[in-house]
Amino acid sequence: MEEESMEEEGGGGGCEAMMDDQNHNNWGAGGYGRHLLGPATAAPLGDRFLRGPAGPSAGPLLPVEPDANGVLRGCDPAGAAGKGGPGAIAAAININASTSKFLMNVITIEDYKSTYWPKLDSAIDQLLTQSPGDYIPISYEQIYSCVYKCVCQQHSEQMYSDLIKKITNHLETVSKELQASPPDLYIERFNIALGQYMGALQSIVPLFIYMNKFYIETKLNRDLKDDLIKLFTEHVAEKHIYNLMPLLLEAQSTPFQITPSTMANIVKGLYTLRPEWVQMAPALFSKFIPNILPPAVESELQEYAAQDQKLQRELMQNGFTR
């Protein structure tokens, strides 16, 4: 497929100017209908029917549906315009022109693999590796349109598979890099990896909104964001939780070994990924997640007071005054 077909934003070239049927195939509301109507009166576009000449002798509704080869069925231009007349010839020419344009804009699997997916692949790479506040030189409009057209052309399943494989490979690389981190940098690097990934999802999920709506939610009964969060849980967090948790508990017992914001980000992130991890360190999670611990009881008030006094002493030892 020619590259310029991806850049079309109107006419029969892009899905934006088309109507979806129940299978998300798109037949030209702005193409076929205009050619066939002429002076005739059209029914609502959503019905995908065209009426014959208006008046008391109006013919039955004619369905405007292409067959397997993209040729319109249920239309008899010769009958509508008078057999053998100029109207029949003009209508036939218009039908042939529309059919040719439809066929020229079909996205084959080869087109998808060679032209469309490489653009998506490059954009995903940049989003997954950007740092907070970075400017990403990609066209969100172009990527959004690219996804939309691939969904229209029935490539959702392949695109979803490619997206999952792409992000899985990225997360496996992240996991290996974390494994090679020294203990004094481990917590900070995990925090960076978690924040970077969750930030990337804020852009990736909206870009694939049409795939999510018409394939993942409809056919898989799932949600794209949930699937991508699960990937991080399986390929990164689960592999590192038993190394990470002891370091977090040690850092908690040594005030200001890591910044409070880093501790809060990690604890809240772990809770989002898998709430049952609270059981590994309830006291730690309770500092950042409300209602984790059972309600306080009167018999433990002295213990709570002792813990508060200990914290105050530690703060004073680190230069904080009352």
Side-chain angles (χ1 to χ4, degrees):
M1 164 146 314
E2 296 296 332
E3 178 70 21
E4 57 266 26
S5 67
M6 290 186 60
E7 306 301 331
E8 291 183 357
E9 296 299 331
C15 293
E16 294 83 349
M18 296 183 176
M19 299 291 291
D20 288 348
D21 68 9
Q22 65 271 23
N23 295 317
H24 317 305
N25 296 313
N26 294 269
W27 317 125
Y32 298 125
R34 284 198 302 272
H35 293 312
L36 295 178
L37 279 174
T41 302
L45 289 176
D47 296 331
R48 299 193 300 280
F49 286 90
L50 301 177
R51 293 190 182 277
S57 60
L61 291 175
L62 301 177
V64 182
E65 297 283 357
D67 62 16
N69 297 316
V71 179
L72 297 178
R73 293 184 286 101
C75 299
D76 185 2
K83 292 185 179 180
I89 299 174
I93 292 174
N94 284 333
I95 290 176
N96 290 335
S98 296
T99 303
S100 298
K101 190 165 189 178
F102 174 81
L103 293 174
M104 284 192 297
N105 285 279
V106 169
I107 301 174
T108 66
I109 188 62
E110 290 76 16
D111 296 330
Y112 166 81
K113 290 180 177 179
S114 63
T115 303
Y116 287 80
W117 175 249
K119 290 182 177 292
L120 298 175
D121 184 275
S122 176
I124 295 166
D125 253 337
Q126 295 182 66
L127 292 170
L128 288 172
T129 57
Q130 68 176 328
S131 298
D134 279 359
Y135 169 73
I136 303 300
I138 63 175
S139 170
Y140 285 85
E141 181 179 2
Q142 184 185 63
I143 299 305
Y144 181 88
S145 176
C146 182
V147 171
Y148 186 20
K149 292 174 183 178
C150 290
V151 171
C152 291
Q153 296 283 336
Q154 303 293 308
H155 296 302
S156 295
E157 182 176 1
Q158 182 66 53
M159 185 162 52
Y160 175 73
S161 175
D162 289 339
L163 177 63
I164 296 299
K165 183 184 298 184
K166 171 74 177 178
I167 293 182
T168 297
N169 291 338
H170 168 76
L171 292 176
E172 288 178 348
T173 300
V174 170
S175 181
K176 291 177 182 178
E177 292 174 351
L178 283 173
Q179 288 175 350
S181 298
D184 58 325
L185 298 177
Y186 194 93
I187 294 177
E188 189 61 43
R189 289 183 179 177
F190 184 91
N191 182 53
I192 292 173
L194 175 63
Q196 190 175 51
Y197 184 74
M198 293 302 182
L201 294 193
Q202 294 181 12
S203 295
I204 293 174
V205 171
L207 286 175
F208 286 87
I209 188 172
Y210 275 92
M211 182 182 72
N212 189 44
K213 181 176 179 62
F214 293 111
Y215 176 70
I216 302 175
E217 290 182 354
T218 304
K219 294 189 176 182
L220 304 182
N221 296 317
R222 297 202 303 267
D223 178 77
L224 178 59
K225 184 176 180 180
D226 293 341
D227 283 0
L228 298 185
I229 289 177
K230 184 179 179 182
L231 287 182
F232 188 90
T233 304
E234 293 177 347
H235 295 281
V236 179
E238 283 184 352
K239 295 180 179 180
H240 294 271
I241 188 65
Y242 294 104
N243 292 330
L244 180 64
M245 193 59 67
L247 294 174
L248 291 175
L249 293 173
E250 180 183 348
Q252 180 194 21
S253 63
T254 308
F256 311 108
Q257 179 175 330
I258 62 173
T259 64
S261 61
T262 296
M263 181 70 79
N265 289 339
I266 293 178
V267 172
K268 291 178 180 179
L270 292 176
Y271 183 76
T272 299
L273 298 177
R274 185 155 292 176
E276 56 266 33
W277 281 338
V278 166
Q279 304 304 319
M280 298 178 67
L284 173 62
F285 279 84
S286 68
K287 293 181 180 296
F288 306 98
I289 309 296
N291 303 320
I292 291 296
L293 295 178
V297 295
E298 185 177 353
S299 60
E300 297 178 353
L301 289 179
Q302 291 184 352
E303 182 179 349
Y304 300 147
Q307 291 176 356
D308 184 63
Q309 291 173 3
K310 180 183 177 183
L311 177 59
Q312 291 182 24
R313 288 195 300 269
E314 291 173 347
L315 289 173
M316 293 176 65
Q317 290 171 2
N318 285 276
F320 286 82
T321 59
R322 300 184 64 175

